[in-house]
Amino acid sequence: ASHAASAKALVGRQDELNALAAALDELEAGVSSVFIIEAEAGIGKSRLLEELRALGHRRERIRSLHGSADAIEKNTAYLAWRGLLAMLFADEAEVGPAGRAAAAQRLLQSRPDLLAWVPLLETILPLGHADTELTHSLEGEGRAATLRTLIVAALQAAAERAPLLISIEDTHWMDSASWALLLAAARAVSPMLLVLASRPVSEAQQCAEQLELYRDKRTRILRLEGLLPQHARAFICAQLGADTIAEEVLDLITRRTEGNPFFTEQLALA
């Protein structure tokens, strides 16, 4: 058990974790912020997000929601929001579409003008609501804009009950509709800490909404590099359940992996 715990220890990311913990403090004080964790594959974005969610879970006042994009379904609109909204509209008393529909109705009680648009949520998440004559009449950008308004209102209602920690992984695979919704939420929902994990993406590859969020003065980008030798030593020892390792072994592993935690782990175990 002690080896399993030590193997999961977060090594070499204390500065980044401290910055995120400080953002959680600010969130509890009602201050919103946006962080983008940027690194190549295997460097530790997901592990850092996992630690952040654990920190958020230990703070009873904060509500945590998370989602993920996917390479295979990168052209599926709003995919990254599907799991996140399922958590937002979770109903402990009633599971499935009916429970989610009831939870959505409750969250939007303060916005009766939006209740007629709830069937639009079917675009992302099954609620058992077929299009009505009203919602069927909406097409194109008008439909997308109304859906954004609906979801932002639901998120704001949730944030007024408990500060929101929202994390989304693999945003480099996210579609433009998801980015538009994300930008709308970042602008309007408070208190909310929004944390995204992404591989490096050039400005030429970014959609307009993604570019705007990256350039926003409130957005802070945490760029993760490979592990330094001293951190690699601690990481390898944790994986092997050892107190120390030979210098030649450390040198071999760090030279071959260039500090990439995933490759470091695999080579150490091999």
Side-chain angles (χ1 to χ4, degrees):
S2 60
H3 169 52
S6 65
K8 290 183 176 295
L10 189 66
V11 176
R13 305 295 182 214
Q14 197 57 52
D15 289 345
E16 293 84 358
L17 190 59
N18 288 344
L20 293 170
L24 286 175
D25 292 337
E26 293 182 346
L27 177 64
E28 289 188 308
V31 178
S32 298
S33 54
V34 178
F35 281 75
I36 299 172
I37 303 171
E38 191 176 88
E40 296 290 353
I43 295 294
K45 303 181 295 296
S46 295
R47 182 65 189 85
L48 185 56
L49 273 187
E50 180 184 335
E51 194 70 18
L52 169 65
R53 288 193 288 263
L55 289 177
H57 183 70
R58 290 197 286 271
R59 302 187 184 213
E60 294 182 359
R61 291 187 58 246
I62 292 176
R63 184 177 182 185
S64 181
L65 307 171
H66 60 268
S68 179
D70 184 87
I72 296 175
E73 296 190 67
K74 61 184 179 181
N75 294 320
T76 301
Y78 305 110
L79 177 74
W81 285 89
R82 191 176 298 165
L84 194 157
L85 293 181
M87 297 177 71
L88 177 66
F89 299 134
D91 189 323
E92 295 180 3
E94 188 174 3
V95 298
R100 291 192 290 266
Q105 296 278 349
R106 288 197 300 273
L107 270 178
L108 292 166
Q109 280 179 347
S110 62
R111 292 292 307 273
D113 56 310
L114 295 177
L115 290 176
W117 302 110
V118 167
L120 291 177
L121 293 170
E122 288 283 342
T123 305
I124 306 176
L125 190 68
L127 297 179
H129 280 322
D131 250 350
T132 63
E133 185 176 345
L134 179 65
T135 58
H136 184 69
S137 67
L138 276 178
E139 296 180 353
E141 178 53 28
R143 189 178 184 91
T146 305
L147 178 60
R148 288 195 295 271
T149 299
L150 189 68
I151 293 173
V152 167
L155 287 170
Q156 182 56 42
E160 289 169 3
R161 299 179 182 184
L164 292 180
L165 165 60
I166 292 183
S167 59
I168 304 179
E169 296 196 51
D170 294 329
T171 58
H172 49 279
W173 300 123
M174 206 157 68
D175 62 284
S176 58
S178 290
W179 277 111
L181 177 51
L182 197 59
L183 180 61
R187 285 173 170 172
V189 179
S190 185
M192 177 180 72
L193 170 57
L194 178 62
V195 185
L196 313 176
S198 174
R199 293 181 192 174
V201 179
S202 70
E203 290 191 356
Q205 296 173 296
Q206 296 178 8
C207 65
E209 294 83 2
Q210 182 179 4
L211 194 59
E212 190 169 342
L213 188 61
Y214 268 67
R215 289 178 173 177
D216 192 286
K217 62 182 180 181
R218 298 173 302 168
T219 299
R220 182 172 174 185
I221 299 179
L222 301 179
R223 291 187 171 90
L224 305 185
E225 304 294 341
L227 295 173
L228 295 173
Q230 64 268 31
H231 295 144
R233 182 194 302 275
F235 184 74
I236 294 166
C237 286
Q239 305 311 308
L240 302 179
D243 295 324
T244 186
I245 59 169
E247 289 299 323
E248 56 267 30
V249 175
L250 176 64
D251 182 60
L252 170 69
I253 293 175
T254 54
R255 278 191 294 106
R256 291 199 175 183
T257 65
E258 297 182 341
N260 183 299
F262 175 77
F263 295 137
T264 296
E265 177 185 17
Q266 296 304 306
L267 190 52
L269 294 176

